[in-house]
Amino acid sequence: QSQLVESGGGLVQPGGSLRLSCAASGFTLDGYTIGWFRQAPGKEREGVSCMRITGGLSNYADSVKGRFTISRDNAKNTVYLQMNSLKLEDTGIYYCAARPSTLFSVCLLPQLYNAWGQGTQVTVSS
């Protein structure tokens, strides 16, 4: 059965770092686009970062550019999100999602993804 599982969330102080993992099972990520999304209480789900696995082309929301980095380990069939210089407004539930690679310019739109993980909580608090 195809599945995505997020891990690595937790509680961190402002300015700290976390690395989230998205492990795929039941299928190989080659040929897919992977997106990271987050949802804070009372807010809409928003795209954070995305990557076309084949070739590694990536994109970021303006709010995280320069602080977050998306990467993949093909041998482990896993995508990562390295989050540095965390801010209070980064708090939320983080999800990874997958879709067959198509037009890259729309890779931060959550409605275009049809396979989602269960989410992992990230809390930035002093």
Side-chain angles (χ1 to χ4, degrees):
Q1 183 177 349
S2 299
Q3 189 175 5
L4 296 172
V5 178
E6 302 97 331
S7 62
L11 176 64
V12 64
Q13 293 185 342
S17 298
L18 286 172
R19 189 177 77 160
L20 306 183
S21 299
C22 175
S25 61
F27 71 104
T28 56
L29 292 175
D30 185 38
Y32 286 84
T33 294
I34 302 298
W36 283 100
F37 302 85
R38 67 187 181 189
Q39 188 164 22
K43 294 185 177 181
E44 296 288 321
R45 187 171 299 184
E46 63 174 344
V48 176
S49 183
C50 51
M51 170 180 281
R52 189 166 63 196
I53 298 300
T54 302
L57 186 64
S58 61
N59 197 15
Y60 300 88
D62 289 341
S63 60
V64 307
K65 195 170 297 181
R67 299 188 297 120
F68 291 11
T69 303
I70 189 170
S71 63
R72 87 285 201 193
D73 186 332
N74 291 337
K76 296 182 178 180
N77 209 31
T78 298
V79 175
Y80 303 96
L81 184 68
Q82 179 68 46
M83 306 186 296
N84 298 327
S85 302
L86 283 163
K87 304 175 180 179
L88 296 179
E89 53 264 41
D90 293 320
T91 293
I93 302 174
Y94 283 69
Y95 303 88
C96 68
R99 66 177 176 89
S101 291
T102 55
L103 185 62
F104 184 75
S105 63
V106 298
C107 72
L108 290 175
L109 298 178
Q111 62 265 36
L112 300 181
Y113 292 77
N114 53 20
W116 292 82
Q118 82 289 347
T120 185
Q121 177 70 44
V122 172
T123 303
V124 184
S125 176
S126 60

